Amino acid sequence: GYLLAGVIVGPWSLAVIGEVEQIMHVAEFGVILLLFVIGLELRPRRLWALRKAIFGFGSAQVLVCAALLTVFSVLTGLSTTAAVVAGLVLALSSTAFALQLIAERGEMTTRWGRAAFGTLLFQDLAVVPLLALLPLLGPQAGAQGVTWSGVLLPVAVLLLVIFAGRFVLRQVLRVAARSHVREILTATALLVAFGTAFLLEAAGLSMALGAFIAGVLLADSEFRHQLEADIEPFKGLLLGLFFISVGMSLNLGLLTSDAASVVLLVCGIVAIKLAALFALGRWHGLDARESIKLGIALSQGGEFAFVLFTVAVAAGVMSVAQVELHSVAVSLSMVVTPLLFIAYDRCSVQSQ
C-alpha cells in the first residue's frame, strides 16, 4: 500500500511531490529507529549467540550472491569491473523491508528469522569497506589509497561507543527520567538513537549500525520498555514514509522505454538471491519451508544500493545510464518481496 501510494504521488505519475531525494533522506530515519528498537529487544548475550549467523552465514551470503550476480551482470553486457561492483552492491538486501516483513509475520525469533537478522547486520557492516573499495576500482584509483586514519578512526569510534556508551547512555536517560516529564524522556530517547547514529556516520560507519548498537547497550536497562513505547509511533510513521519514498523513486519512464532490460534485471536479482539463500539455508540446517522464507525475505536489493551506485558513478566505474537502470531494478525488487510472501502464504494454505 505504501509503495503504491508513492508511485501515485511521485514525479512519474501525478507529480504531487517532486523532491524525492530530500524526502528519502528524512525517511531513512525510520530505518534508524527500526534498528534502535530491534537493538532494545536484543540483549548483548543474545547478540553474542548470533555471532555465527552474523559472520558465518552473513559473509557466506554476501560472497555467494555477489559472485553469482557478477556472472549475471557480465552476461547482461557490463564490463568486468562494472559487473563486480554491481554484484557486490546487489548482494546487499533491504534492512527496512526484510525486518519489517519478518516482524509483521512474528517470526523474528525463529531460526530463519535469526539467520536473516544476522545476515542483514553483516551487510550493514559490509557497506563500510564497500564505500572504501569502490573508488579504488575507478580510473583514478592510482591517485587514491587507503590511509591508516581512514581504517583506525571508525574502529576507534566503534569501540568507544561500545565500551563507554553503556554507562553514558544510561546516565543521560536517568537524568531525563528524574524530570518526571514524559516528553523529555521521549526527546532524550530520540537524541540517543540519532546522536549515536550520527556519531558513527561521522566516523565513516553506517547510521543504522550506530542506532542498533545504542539499542543493544540499553537492552538491559530499566528504561527498555519505556523507550520502545516512546519510539514506536515515530518508527511507524517514518518507516511508512520510507516505503512511500521508494515508490516515488520508481522511474516509470525507464519502465516504458527499456522494459525488457528492467524485467530481466529484476527477475535475475530476485531469482539468483532466492536460489542462493535457499541453498545456503539448507546448508545452515534450515528445513525447506524456512529456507524459502529466508530466500524471499532477503531476495531484494537494499537501500544502500542507491548510495553505493552514486559512489560508483563518481568513481567512473559505472555510467549514469547503468546506475539508473539498476536503481529502478532495486526498487522494483523491493516491490516484489511482499508479493512473493503473499504467494507463498497462499500456496502454503492450499497445500495443507
Side-chain angles (χ1 to χ4, degrees):
Y2 285 132
L3 291 168
L4 182 59
V7 171
I8 293 172
V9 303
W12 298 98
S13 188
L14 297 180
V16 176
I17 299 173
E19 298 297 329
V20 178
E21 189 173 344
Q22 293 181 9
I23 292 175
M24 187 166 279
H25 284 317
V26 176
E28 285 172 356
F29 290 129
V31 183
I32 293 171
L33 293 180
L34 173 66
L35 267 294
F36 180 67
V37 171
I38 289 173
L40 285 173
E41 298 172 351
L42 197 68
R43 290 179 170 83
R45 289 182 181 178
R46 282 189 61 198
L47 182 61
W48 178 249
L50 285 172
R51 64 190 183 280
K52 291 183 179 178
I54 297 171
F55 296 102
F57 191 85
S59 60
Q61 181 273 326
V62 171
L63 292 174
V64 171
C65 288
L68 294 174
L69 288 166
T70 297
V71 174
F72 172 73
S73 298
V74 170
L75 294 176
T76 58
L78 292 184
S79 65
T80 303
T81 304
V84 169
V85 171
L88 287 169
V89 174
L90 295 175
L92 306 181
S93 305
S94 172
T95 301
F97 266 76
L99 291 183
Q100 184 73 4
L101 285 168
I102 297 170
E104 284 179 357
R105 297 172 67 87
E107 299 191 74
M108 189 67 77
T109 57
T110 61
R111 286 193 65 197
W112 78 268
R114 292 196 299 271
F117 175 75
T119 302
L120 291 166
L121 189 56
F122 179 84
Q123 290 178 2
D124 280 345
L125 293 169
V127 170
V128 180
L130 282 178
L131 285 170
L133 174 66
L134 291 183
L136 301 179
L137 297 176
Q140 295 83 23
Q144 302 181 32
V146 179
T147 62
W148 279 108
S149 61
V151 175
L152 293 178
L153 178 61
V155 174
V157 172
L158 184 62
L159 293 175
L160 177 66
V161 169
I162 291 174
F163 290 106
R166 186 181 182 90
F167 172 77
V168 173
L169 295 181
R170 292 191 184 194
Q171 288 300 113
V172 169
L173 288 171
R174 282 169 185 157
V175 170
R178 289 193 197 111
S179 68
H180 301 291
V181 179
R182 181 166 182 172
E183 289 78 8
I184 292 179
L185 186 59
T186 302
T188 306
L190 292 171
L191 175 64
V192 165
F194 292 135
T196 312
F198 284 125
L199 177 61
L200 262 68
E201 184 194 34
L205 295 167
S206 161
M207 291 179 70
L209 178 63
F212 172 74
I213 291 174
V216 171
L217 293 175
L218 294 171
D220 288 327
S221 75
E222 64 271 29
F223 303 105
R224 182 168 72 94
H225 297 295
Q226 182 67 46
L227 290 174
E228 285 188 58
D230 289 343
I231 292 291
E232 188 65 34
F234 297 97
K235 185 201 77 172
L237 287 171
L238 289 170
L239 269 182
L241 184 61
F242 173 80
F243 298 136
I244 290 173
S245 67
V246 171
M248 289 191 295
S249 68
L250 284 177
N251 188 336
L252 300 182
L254 194 59
L255 277 176
T256 55
S257 63
D258 198 6
S261 298
V262 173
V263 171
L264 175 64
L265 197 51
V266 172
C267 291
I269 294 170
V270 174
I272 289 172
K273 294 184 76 171
L274 204 160
L277 283 158
F278 176 82
L280 287 170
R282 297 292 287 162
W283 166 75
H284 191 60
L286 303 179
D287 61 35
R289 287 180 177 272
E290 289 180 319
S291 298
I292 291 174
K293 287 189 282 189
L294 175 66
I296 293 174
L298 303 183
S299 63
Q300 74 291 126
E303 54 270 5
F304 284 117
F306 305 121
V307 177
L308 292 167
F309 280 140
T310 302
V311 175
V313 171
V317 180
M318 297 180 73
S319 68
V320 174
Q322 289 171 338
V323 165
E324 285 184 350
L325 177 64
H326 282 73
S327 296
V328 171
V330 167
S331 298
L332 284 175
S333 69
M334 294 180 185
V335 177
V336 169
T337 303
L339 299 178
L340 287 175
F341 263 125
I342 291 171
Y344 171 82
D345 290 337
R346 289 184 178 177
C347 291
S348 297
V349 170
Q350 291 174 358
S351 64
Q352 289 177 357

